[in-house]
Amino acid sequence: MKYISTRGQAPTLNFEDVLLTGLASDGGLYVPETLPQFSLDEIRAMRELPYNELAFKIVQPFVGGCIADADLKAIIDDTYGSFAHKAVAPVTQIDHNEYVLELFHGPTLAFKDFALQLLGRLLDHVLEKRQERVVIMGATSGDTGSAAIEGCKRCNNIDIFILHPHNRVSEVQRRQMTTIEGDNIYNIAIEGNFDDAQAMVKASFGDQGFLRGERRLVAVNSINWARIMAQIVYYFYASLNLGGPDRKMSYSVPTGNFGDIFAGYLAKRMGLPIDQLVIATNRNDILHRLISTGIYKKEALEHTLSPSMDIVVSSNFERMLFDLYDRDGNVLADLMQRMNNETVELDADKLAKARELYSSAAADDEVTSKVISDVFNDTGYLLDPHTAIGVHAARTTRWNKDVPMITLGTAHPVKFAPAIEKAGLASPELPHHLADLFERDERYTVLPAELTTVQSFIADHVFG
């Protein structure tokens, strides 16, 4: 399996190099040159597989021999053996033909665990083989940070720096990041928003001079292809548990950086019968506005009850645009430059193609709270605010009620007490392994949203 950049000017890489590269040298994102394909018979034969064995079937073609099958299988078995639920990603019914795919049974109670627990183990394996030490730099709107630290803390060959927007993540999210012990773990609270943090990460990958040529940066954000690859699996798993592939499924996906729903698009292209993919956003609704109007226009980021979706610049949308624009790297490079600096209108044929692939809806905090309350009163099932937005989008855009609609349950509600309480409900207790979270010591540094200041902090701690 070979990987190419969305902007067409970076070297073609194999999986191992893509794992360690993150952002391409031309500023683009790596995608597979071709996608593995599964026939309906091949998918049907996967029905009885537990999650870890299904994951091996889906992931193995992407790795392309860079990691021996036996080693890859052991890594995957170890990854999903750490989840709290035997099913790993159980499906819960909340209405007739309406389901929640629970993706919050990993160690940090969010869907990011599916990719980042695997990514950490893949990095450990590859870096040990190469005898190389690297610097991980990532930005988080709440869940990526703790999942990345938890997934990578065991690796002896990394120093990890996670940037989060100061006072703009939930307390549980912050404490999950800042209470993990380790001499190689650094949490930086940026006096800005997530987009500021993400921009600094991208700029640092573009110019790594602050690391003196002695280390390389590795990405844990969903610009890292391995993140997307791991998320494809649970679309297959949910379908197979509800009668797929002999009937189609629809999915509603709470969307911030577009990685999770892009994985669903790839699952469809790989042969999984999917009827509808729904983009669910909060008030920071740039993707919904784009699908609705064809206009890509940045607006000021707002702080909401669903902080993991408080994002304006959705990095992975570039991967989607690459396909919409017929994989023409030169055209895409020009488009991305314009989208970063001005309001852009998609070509009519590209917009039509996007609307064939996606529906979309947005929900403000009032709607989010009402959905949490309504679903709890109807079923006794408690949604976190991001999943509630997914349920709202599913119900308002659904075009075929005979097709099962699966909302991705992206986080445990205990992580978002203010949203639960605003819905008039009591926040649940922390799971046993996090019961003492509020008693643990925190470690983080508050820095201004200045690139040179952040890079100097990283260099001082890597080389000091």
Side-chain angles (χ1 to χ4, degrees):
M1 176 71 72
K2 296 297 184 182
Y3 293 84
I4 58 174
S5 169
T6 52
R7 302 192 190 181
Q9 301 300 313
T12 298
L13 301 179
N14 65 17
F15 175 78
E16 188 173 299
D17 289 325
V18 161
L19 180 72
L20 296 176
T21 299
L23 201 67
S25 58
D26 59 2
L29 303 180
Y30 275 104
V31 293
E33 199 168 41
T34 59
L35 281 174
Q37 298 294 310
F38 296 102
S39 68
L40 292 182
D41 284 343
E42 288 172 322
I43 297 172
R44 198 175 290 116
M46 300 176 190
R47 271 185 182 160
E48 304 306 318
L49 296 180
Y51 194 92
N52 58 318
E53 293 183 25
L54 176 66
F56 177 78
K57 289 276 190 183
I58 302 299
V59 166
Q60 192 271 345
F62 290 108
V63 174
C66 285
I67 298 174
D69 283 355
D71 291 335
L72 179 62
K73 190 174 188 312
I75 288 168
I76 290 172
D77 289 349
D78 184 51
T79 296
Y80 299 113
S82 69
F83 280 52
H85 197 295
K86 290 284 284 183
V88 183
V91 179
T92 296
Q93 188 167 6
I94 60 170
D95 204 340
H96 175 67
N97 236 8
E98 188 179 359
Y99 303 86
V100 171
L101 175 62
E102 295 186 349
L103 301 176
F104 47 77
H105 294 288
T108 72
L109 312 181
F111 81 98
K112 307 291 178 75
D113 285 324
F114 280 82
L116 285 164
Q117 295 300 311
L118 179 61
L119 176 61
R121 288 164 172 84
L122 290 170
L123 285 172
D124 201 17
H125 178 85
V126 170
L127 292 172
E128 279 293 326
K129 182 173 73 172
R130 293 188 173 204
Q131 288 297 291
E132 182 179 351
R133 189 173 182 88
V134 300
V135 174
I136 285 177
M137 183 181 182
T140 183
S141 55
D143 290 326
T144 292
S146 57
I149 293 169
E150 187 69 37
C152 297
K153 68 180 182 181
R154 66 181 57 78
C155 185
N156 296 318
N157 299 301
I158 66 167
D159 294 293
I160 182 166
F161 297 82
I162 298 295
L163 285 61
H164 72 268
H166 188 39
N167 293 329
R168 294 195 176 192
V169 300
S170 77
E171 186 174 7
V172 170
Q173 286 177 313
R174 188 192 73 241
R175 286 179 173 274
Q176 281 186 298
M177 289 186 281
T178 61
T179 60
I180 298 176
E181 297 181 358
D183 293 336
N184 63 336
I185 297 169
Y186 302 92
N187 283 282
I188 302 172
I190 295 297
E191 292 176 322
N193 59 40
F194 171 78
D195 287 332
D196 296 325
Q198 181 167 253
M200 285 189 280
V201 170
K202 286 185 174 182
S204 297
F205 273 87
D207 182 1
Q208 301 185 25
F210 69 102
L211 294 177
R212 309 174 191 173
E214 298 176 35
R215 299 279 185 89
R216 75 162 97 184
L217 282 183
V218 170
V220 290
N221 285 74
S222 51
I223 60 174
N224 191 312
W225 164 255
R227 287 274 307 272
I228 307 297
M229 172 189 76
Q231 291 169 329
I232 295 169
V233 178
Y234 46 67
Y235 286 90
F236 279 83
Y237 188 73
S239 172
L240 290 165
N241 275 273
L242 292 174
D246 295 323
R247 60 173 178 166
K248 291 184 175 182
M249 303 291 155
S250 293
Y251 297 85
S252 179
V253 187
T255 301
N257 231 357
F258 205 78
D260 212 9
I261 195 162
F262 184 68
Y265 159 78
L266 294 178
K268 182 175 183 177
R269 285 191 55 208
M270 290 166 65
L272 187 68
I274 294 178
D275 189 50
Q276 186 178 4
L277 285 168
V278 182
I279 297 169
T281 69
N282 62 16
R283 287 205 311 273
N284 300 295
D285 60 350
I286 189 168
L287 292 172
H288 170 55
R289 286 185 283 110
L290 177 66
I291 297 297
S292 301
T293 68
I295 305 294
Y296 183 91
K297 181 182 179 182
K298 296 180 188 176
E299 294 184 352
L301 189 142
E302 295 187 46
H303 185 46
T304 73
L305 291 173
S306 45
S308 297
M309 294 158 63
D310 288 347
I311 296 171
V312 170
V313 180
S314 297
S315 290
N316 280 288
F317 197 60
E318 177 167 342
R319 286 182 163 119
M320 187 68 247
L321 288 169
F322 184 55
D323 280 4
L324 289 178
Y325 281 81
D326 303 315
R327 304 199 127 205
D328 188 324
N330 292 326
V331 170
L332 191 72
D334 174 69
L335 178 66
M336 295 310 300
Q337 191 275 332
R338 290 190 292 120
M339 288 179 111
N340 286 332
N341 295 288
E342 60 189 73
T343 298
V344 173
E345 184 170 2
L346 283 190
D347 297 341
D349 60 325
K350 311 308 181 190
L351 177 60
K353 194 186 297 186
R355 287 173 172 169
E356 288 177 10
L357 293 168
Y358 302 103
S359 309
S360 68
D364 60 18
D365 283 351
E366 184 177 349
V367 169
T368 303
S369 297
K370 186 175 188 308
V371 173
I372 293 172
S373 175
D374 288 349
V375 170
F376 185 80
N377 290 333
D378 290 343
T379 67
Y381 190 78
L382 187 59
L383 302 170
D384 93 286
H386 307 81
T387 308
I389 291 171
V391 169
H392 167 76
R395 291 177 173 179
T396 55
T397 67
R398 190 174 183 179
W399 61 45
N400 189 344
K401 293 192 176 180
D402 292 331
V403 174
M405 174 62 79
I406 304 164
T407 295
L408 271 55
T410 53
H412 194 293
V414 75
K415 302 186 79 165
F416 304 100
I420 305 304
E421 290 162 5
K422 186 166 184 180
L425 303 170
S427 183
E429 292 184 0
L430 287 162
H432 176 72
H433 74 282
L434 292 172
D436 65 343
L437 182 65
F438 291 96
E439 300 163 22
R440 300 176 189 175
D441 291 334
E442 290 190 85
R443 295 188 309 156
Y444 64 95
T445 303
V446 180
L447 294 178
E450 297 171 358
L451 180 61
T452 55
T453 301
V454 171
Q455 290 180 338
S456 294
F457 178 90
I458 293 173
D460 289 345
H461 287 83
V462 169
F463 301 113

